[in-house]
């Protein structure tokens, strides 16, 4: 590839590998490059934008697949890069959204860890500022982060239910099917925590259908597995 075309090609490859993982399909076997080669090229070429794209894709996947060790590692990598430069492109703000989700998830799993709560709150502050300029893109994200913050602080917080519902409605209104699915899945975890299994199953069913519409077959299978009665009884912390 010509030198000027390489950044575009590697960005496209990162999207390709990310899409394959969500669809539950293997990359074309004729590909000589592996996903880790993208990061190696980005570092070798001192292409910080490509490094961030790679890290955000890892961040997103570790979260939606609930790989907790990877979540913390990827969130820390993104946090370090975000603090080292101004990240203002829309995709970088998606990274901020997922860092916030991971932060509150980790705070809920490890009570008393103020650092995760602080990072989640920082994500809310950043995205709230952007929401004031473009509610269409950011309103649902801010509402979901606030719901997750409430859930992390108090599993039965009074307005948590309405925050999840408002986030789901906002994502639907603004055509973010994947984020509507995530909000449904997280709300299901909240309801299951509060022993409302019927509502949890309804929301998981909705998440499953949205993932199907989005084409994320691997996430459809995960949502279906969470509706299993045994998963409901013993696996609710992993929703």
């Amino acid at each position: 590839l010509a030198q000027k075309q390489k950044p575009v090609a590697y960005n496209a490859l990162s999207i390709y590998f990310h899409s394959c993982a969500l669809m539950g399909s293997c990359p074309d076997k004729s590909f000589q490059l592996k996903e880790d080669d993208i990061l190696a090229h980005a570092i070798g070429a001192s292409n910080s934008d490509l490094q961030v794209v790679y890290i955000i894709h890892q961040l997103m996947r570790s979260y939606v697949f609930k790989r907790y060790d990877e979540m913390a590692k990827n969130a820390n990598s993104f946090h370090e890069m975000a603090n080292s430069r101004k990240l203002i492109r829309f995709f970088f703000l998606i990274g901020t959204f997922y860092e916030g989700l991971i932060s509150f998830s980790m705070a809920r799993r490890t009570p008393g860890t103020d650092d995760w709560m602080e990072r989640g709150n920082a994500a809310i502050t950043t995205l709230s500022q952007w929401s004031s300029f473009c509610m269409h893109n950011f309103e649902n994200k801010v509402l979901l982060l606030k719901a997750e913050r409430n859930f992390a602080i108090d599993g039965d917080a009074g307005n948590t239910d309405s925050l999840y519902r408002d986030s789901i409605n906002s994502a639907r209104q603004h055509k973010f099917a994947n984020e509507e699915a995530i909000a449904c899945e997280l709300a299901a975890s909240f309801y299951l925590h509060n022993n409302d299994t019927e509502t949890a199953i309804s929301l998981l069913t909705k998440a499953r259908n949205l993932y199907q519409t989005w084409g994320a077959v691997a996430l459809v299978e995960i949502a279906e597995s969470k509706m299993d009665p045994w998963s409901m009884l013993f696996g609710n912390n992993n929703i």
Side-chain angles (χ1 to χ4, degrees):
L1 287 173
Q3 197 64 31
K4 290 184 178 180
Q5 293 175 318
K6 282 187 176 181
V8 176
Y10 276 100
N11 269 284
L13 276 174
S14 187
I15 295 169
Y16 170 74
F17 282 114
H18 183 66
S19 299
C20 285
L22 294 175
M23 292 187 294
S25 60
C26 296
D28 191 312
K29 292 182 179 179
S30 65
F31 267 53
Q32 296 181 349
L33 288 173
K34 299 187 184 303
E35 191 171 19
D36 289 345
D37 294 332
I38 298 170
L39 181 60
H41 170 79
I43 294 172
S46 299
N47 186 335
S48 57
D49 283 351
L50 182 57
Q51 289 181 54
V52 172
V53 168
Y54 174 89
I55 289 170
I56 291 174
H57 280 143
Q58 301 302 312
L59 186 75
M60 294 168 71
R61 292 216 302 277
S62 61
Y63 181 74
V64 296
F65 288 113
K66 297 298 182 282
R67 298 167 181 160
Y68 288 98
D69 290 342
E70 293 179 26
M71 279 165 54
K73 174 186 173 184
N74 292 326
N76 288 335
S77 296
F78 175 78
H79 189 72
E80 182 179 338
M81 291 208 73
N83 284 339
S84 68
R85 54 178 302 189
K86 289 286 185 181
L87 303 179
I88 60 173
R89 296 182 186 177
F90 180 75
F91 192 56
F92 297 158
L93 294 169
I94 294 297
T96 299
F97 172 54
Y98 278 90
E99 184 190 6
L101 290 175
I102 288 173
S103 296
F104 291 130
S105 177
M106 296 303 295
R108 192 163 69 243
R109 291 174 65 84
T110 54
T113 50
D114 293 340
D115 180 59
W116 286 116
M117 289 297 296
E118 289 172 4
R119 285 163 61 170
N121 286 329
I124 289 175
T125 298
T126 297
L127 295 180
S128 293
Q129 292 170 347
W130 282 93
S131 184
S132 67
F133 294 108
C134 185
M135 187 176 69
H136 179 101
N137 285 337
F138 298 103
E139 179 188 58
N140 71 295
K141 298 171 179 63
V142 173
L143 289 166
L144 185 56
L145 287 173
K146 287 181 176 179
E148 283 289 279
R149 177 174 62 186
N150 279 12
F151 191 13
I153 294 171
D154 180 356
D156 192 25
N159 69 331
T160 306
D161 167 270
S162 61
L163 286 168
Y164 281 121
R165 295 289 181 181
D166 289 346
S167 177
I168 291 167
N169 291 335
S170 176
R172 182 186 307 117
Q173 179 185 353
H174 299 128
K175 311 300 183 185
F176 292 112
N178 59 321
E179 292 173 8
E180 183 184 353
I182 290 170
C184 287
E185 204 171 355
L186 293 175
S189 181
F190 168 76
Y191 283 106
L192 195 57
H193 176 83
N194 289 289
N195 301 312
D196 187 347
T197 305
E198 183 179 353
T199 302
I201 291 175
S202 174
L203 286 162
L204 281 172
T205 301
K206 188 177 293 185
R208 180 243 180 253
N209 293 340
L210 286 162
Y211 285 135
Q212 183 72 57
T213 300
W214 192 41
V217 176
L219 299 183
V220 169
E221 294 172 356
I222 291 173
E224 288 176 343
S225 71
K226 291 174 180 176
M227 289 185 275
D228 177 81
W230 288 105
S231 178
M232 285 286 177
L233 284 171
F234 301 113
N236 56 319
N237 287 332
N238 291 323
I239 291 180

